[in-house]
Amino acid sequence: AFVLHPRYFYGLKEFLGDNYKLVAYFIGDELVAFYTGILNGNDLDAHFLGVNDKYNPTHQVYLNILISEL
């Protein structure tokens, strides 16, 4: 495990601009998952994924992220 710098994702957006993608999923006001990707030509390279395990069994958050982007 590791700890990211608090400005890690912000720094990526600053550096990569429109080539950086961050998508967040909420239930109400609570963040339950997010993923980031980096555009590499015509490809989107998977970068980072975060899922709140509290919601995964009841809402299948991880699976829904995977199928929502196909």
Side-chain angles (χ1 to χ4, degrees), residues 21-25 33-37 39 44-46 48-49 61-70:
K21 180 177 182 178
L22 185 144
V23 177
Y25 297 87
F34 74 96
Y35 71 86
T36 62
L39 291 172
L44 178 66
D45 294 334
F48 204 93
L49 171 72
V61 177
Y62 180 73
L63 177 62
N64 281 303
I65 288 172
L66 294 178
I67 62 174
S68 71
E69 294 302 313
L70 294 177

Side-chain angles (χ1 to χ4, degrees), residues 3 13 18 24 27-28 35 41 46 48 54-56 60 62 66-67:
V3 177
K13 179 62 177 173
D18 290 339
I27 295 177
Y35 71 86
F48 204 93
K54 172 181 159 184
Y55 291 99
N56 207 39
Q60 297 183 346
Y62 180 73
L66 294 178
I67 62 174

Side-chain angles (χ1 to χ4, degrees), residues 6-18:
R7 292 181 50 87
Y8 175 76
F9 295 108
Y10 183 82
L12 281 174
K13 179 62 177 173
E14 273 189 324
F15 183 74
L16 297 170
D18 290 339

